Amino acid sequence: MNYDQIFEQAIERLHSEGRYRVFIDILRNKGMFPNARCFAGHNGPKPITVWCSNDYLAMGQHPAVIEAMEDALHNVGAGSGGTRNIGGNTHYHVELERELADLHSKEGALLFTSGYVSNDATLSTLAKLLPGCIIFSDELNHASMIAGIRNSGCEKQVWRHNDMVHLEELLSAADPDAPKLIAFESVYSMDGDVAPIHAICDLADKYHALTYIDEVHAVGMYGPRGGGISDRDEAASRITIIEGTLGKAFGVMGGYIAADTRIIDCIRSYAPGFIFTTSLAPVLVAGALASVKHLKASCVEREGQQAAAASLKTMMREAGLPVMDSVTHIVPLMVGDPVRAKRISDILLAEYGVYVQPINYPTVPRGTERLRFTPGPSHTEDMMRELTAALVEIWERLEMKKAA
């Protein structure tokens, strides 16, 4: 067997389909986000503007966050020293879990090394603890949720995206005595739409199901204290488990769940993805803690982000660009072809100093490839106008269809 040939063919398939992923070599400029430096294909760093970061509120550059991380580094050093059970449980971890529980009005919270791990570990463990459990999963759920459901080995039923009629059809046809869990996201990051949380909870109540919501693209950004869409819509008390990330709006790294203490204790005690991995470094936890505390008290960043997203959508629509409908901070621009999406991204970076990555299959369905812009409070109106003008020029150059 020619192993090298198999690997070569696997990579070649990606190239032939136009969806081979290229990681751009950049460095952000401290305190100056979205300004950064690009090292790809240049003689030395080239100034660029970042338009696709998930550091939605630029909290990764916030002075309070940086100061907290510097203090922790000098106070306790670099690494955590092990798993939470063996040397890796610090006062920073305990304090952050208390803040996160309070953020979501839950009894407890549990930290993980990433949002992917928190979804995978929690969903797989939860279903194993419920014999005969059926998980009802929105068809657009994130890959980490799908992995967790698959790893649980339980029965899975997929319901059409945000379709309450279909969800109820599936729930009503299921064994009434079987444990049930409805898993969904609050903000779907590729389309920018929002789940009908109260309607889902109504069905959960009717059919005696638990609920699991992924708030990773909403925590920090929605609600009076940044608790997400469930906070904004006053639905947090109706959700069994709220999952979030510390690597997007909070600007650092890590994932977590918030729930009642019995569920937290079960996941803490049974989930291999929690038990057997080194805990987050204290320096990261300290930074996330400072960010969570700040965004609980400050609405300036959230308001700035919403204003920026609304402005960019308006500019793109008025320019005839095919911006997709979105009721959130996500601004997706439809391309519909992986090769062209990559070509547009390359031109923007090389000629205009604009950094935005193409979004291709399997992140989105084939034929719906797009560019995904995430304007934040630090993106200025001049930046938006320059971006829109660049996109219009490229659309005309490549003879692409504009919006009707």
Side-chain angles (χ1 to χ4, degrees), residues 133-134 136 171 174-182 207-211:
C133 181
I134 305 170
F136 298 83
L171 287 165
D175 180 355
D177 295 325
K180 301 173 185 66
L181 174 66
I182 303 173
Y207 294 96
H208 308 290
L210 303 177
T211 49

Side-chain angles (χ1 to χ4, degrees), residues 104-297:
H104 296 292
S105 300
K106 297 296 185 184
E107 292 177 351
L110 190 65
L111 285 173
F112 294 84
T113 51
S114 74
Y116 189 105
V117 174
S118 57
N119 272 333
D120 186 0
T122 303
L123 285 167
S124 61
T125 302
L126 191 66
K128 288 176 181 176
L129 292 173
L130 298 169
C133 181
I134 305 170
I135 296 185
F136 298 83
S137 175
D138 186 287
E139 66 177 340
L140 294 188
N141 277 342
H142 190 264
S144 58
M145 300 177 73
I146 295 170
I149 296 168
R150 182 185 299 116
N151 292 336
S152 74
C154 73
E155 179 182 348
K156 177 181 73 170
Q157 297 198 22
V158 179
W159 44 290
R160 290 188 295 270
H161 178 53
N162 280 350
D163 188 333
M164 295 300 96
V165 173
H166 189 217
L167 175 57
E168 182 161 22
E169 287 175 358
L170 297 177
L171 287 165
S172 63
D175 180 355
D177 295 325
K180 301 173 185 66
L181 174 66
I182 303 173
F184 61 104
E185 298 183 39
S186 61
V187 173
Y188 289 85
S189 64
M190 292 302 121
D191 293 340
D193 58 341
V194 173
I197 299 178
H198 280 293
I200 293 172
C201 290
D202 287 343
L203 291 178
D205 291 344
K206 182 176 180 180
Y207 294 96
H208 308 290
L210 303 177
T211 49
Y212 183 102
I213 188 170
D214 176 317
E215 287 262 37
V216 297
H217 290 279
V219 289
M221 295 174 285
Y222 297 90
R225 298 195 306 157
I229 298 296
S230 59
D231 182 19
R232 184 197 72 178
D233 293 354
E234 298 182 347
S237 63
R238 305 188 68 188
I239 302 291
T240 310
I241 301 175
I242 297 174
E243 185 267 348
T245 184
L246 304 167
K248 292 183 171 59
F250 291 125
V252 190
M253 180 182 177
Y256 66 89
I257 59 169
D260 70 39
T261 52
R262 287 167 299 183
I263 290 175
I264 294 297
D265 202 19
C266 280
I267 303 302
R268 183 188 72 88
S269 302
Y270 283 93
F274 173 81
I275 296 170
F276 297 106
T277 190
T278 300
S279 66
L280 285 168
V283 64
L284 297 172
V285 181
L289 178 60
S291 184
V292 171
K293 286 182 174 179
H294 176 84
L295 290 176
K296 277 184 177 180

Side-chain angles (χ1 to χ4, degrees), residues 334-349:
M334 178 58 67
V335 178
D337 176 81
V339 176
R340 280 192 163 181
K342 180 65 168 61
R343 177 67 176 143
I344 296 168
S345 173
D346 289 345
I347 293 173
L348 284 169
L349 184 62

